[in-house]
Amino acid sequence: MKIWSSEHVFGHPWDTVIKAAMRKYPNPMNPCVVGVDVLERSVDSRGRLHSHRLLSTEWGLPGFVKAITLTNLVSVNERLVYTPHPEDPELTVLTQEAIITVKGISLGSYLESLMANTISSNARKMPHPKNQRRKKERTKEKKEGRRKGRKKEEISEP
Amino acid sequence: MNSVGEACTDMKREYDQCFNRWFAEKFLKGNGSGDPCTDLFKRYQQCVQKAIKEKEIPIEGLEFMGHGKEKPESSS
């Protein structure tokens, strides 16, 4: 189990960023995300929209891991909060927190660190809404084993 | 973008289109009441929940790092 958090500032106002975030996938900069589903969605008494989403991911593993018997589930629970920058309304702050769990293998802590680094760099990969294409990209089939990962994501707005 | 349940992908896309339109044209302009996508969402949800059970994906409720969920007000 690894707890990880990070902050990132986008150079665009909140409205622009949140529209892009809602349509973040498919994302040519992160082809590992192969499915997105909304599990729950509602507006609370303060007018905030809560979305609980399930992201299906597939990613290749280093060759040496292939030999080890694995369960096929990596569990990532994330919370993302997008807010206008307190000092500049033309900017948006993303605060991201994640709990990562890899079940049933001795390399759990190594893979959890690997995932935390990947999540951190993926937070920045936001395609521009105007350039976003619906065309599906084929990812290269790797010879090493593939794992299916599940990610839960919750977006709250102020 | 696909759904976790292969049979749900079309329903998901229909719902997504409806939601994205409402989100950009109503919610972000201060009019968050009246969700026109409820029926589409119900149909899509039935399919997804079934797929999640079949694939045994663990999605039990998560109190995330001490941030409990507030009670949502009905959006329809």
Side-chain angles (χ1 to χ4, degrees):
Chain A
M1 179 139 145
K2 184 176 184 72
I3 295 169
W4 162 92
S5 67
S6 138
E7 204 178 82
H8 180 74
V9 178
F10 292 99
H12 297 278
W14 185 84
D15 272 39
T16 303
V17 172
I18 204 67
K19 277 189 266 194
M22 286 302 199
R23 308 175 81 137
K24 188 173 178 183
Y25 302 106
N27 183 347
M29 293 190 272
N30 184 5
C32 292
V33 177
V34 298
V36 180
D37 284 292
V38 180
L39 301 183
E40 218 177 305
R41 191 168 256 159
S42 58
V43 179
D44 70 17
S45 57
R46 289 165 61 181
R48 300 180 302 184
L49 178 70
H50 297 261
S51 297
H52 196 179
R53 301 199 294 179
L54 181 73
L55 275 68
S56 304
T57 58
E58 285 187 9
W59 41 286
L61 293 172
F64 71 90
V65 180
K66 200 170 60 162
I68 301 166
T69 303
L70 305 169
T71 60
N72 65 349
L73 207 62
V74 174
S75 186
V76 180
N77 292 306
E78 279 190 270
R79 183 172 190 261
L80 293 88
V81 182
Y82 295 86
T83 45
H85 195 286
E87 285 146 32
D88 185 352
E90 292 302 302
L91 304 177
T92 304
V93 181
L94 165 62
T95 310
Q96 197 170 357
E97 299 168 311
I99 298 173
I100 305 161
T101 315
V102 179
K103 291 189 164 48
I105 60 170
S106 60
L107 289 182
S109 60
Y110 166 73
L111 284 179
E112 285 169 2
S113 293
L114 191 63
M115 286 221 61
N117 292 337
T118 306
I119 291 168
S120 186
S121 72
N122 283 349
R124 294 164 184 75
K125 293 175 183 175
M126 190 84 85
H128 192 285
K130 286 190 181 153
N131 295 336
Q132 197 169 24
R133 294 201 179 150
R134 304 300 292 183
K135 197 167 79 173
K136 216 170 156 181
E137 295 232 348
R138 285 188 147 262
T139 51
K140 267 190 185 172
E141 282 293 319
K142 290 190 179 176
K143 287 208 172 144
E144 50 265 43
R146 296 188 79 87
R147 285 260 305 265
K148 277 212 165 140
R150 300 282 181 244
K151 190 162 100 166
K152 273 197 281 193
E153 183 186 76
E154 184 181 306
I155 299 176
S156 291
E157 299 164 10
Chain B
M1 191 83 274
N2 295 331
S3 170
V4 66
E6 293 78 13
C8 314
T9 295
D10 286 344
M11 283 181 244
K12 170 198 139 59
R13 286 179 189 171
E14 225 182 318
Y15 165 72
D16 279 350
Q17 264 191 325
C18 180
F19 170 78
N20 285 329
R21 205 178 312 126
W22 170 83
F23 183 67
E25 294 169 13
K26 295 271 178 340
F27 182 79
L28 289 184
K29 300 190 174 165
N31 182 11
S33 60
D35 180 2
C37 313
T38 342
D39 290 343
L40 285 173
F41 188 62
K42 274 189 191 129
R43 226 166 41 107
Y44 161 51
Q45 273 307 291
Q46 275 168 2
C47 184
V48 165
Q49 294 295 338
K50 185 161 168 266
I52 283 168
K53 277 199 180 79
E54 281 167 6
K55 297 187 184 212
E56 296 180 355
I57 299 167
I59 56 154
E60 291 74 45
L62 180 76
E63 289 294 317
F64 199 94
M65 294 176 172
H67 299 281
K69 253 176 60 174
E70 287 186 28
K71 272 208 155 102
E73 96 184 349
S74 169
S75 54
S76 58

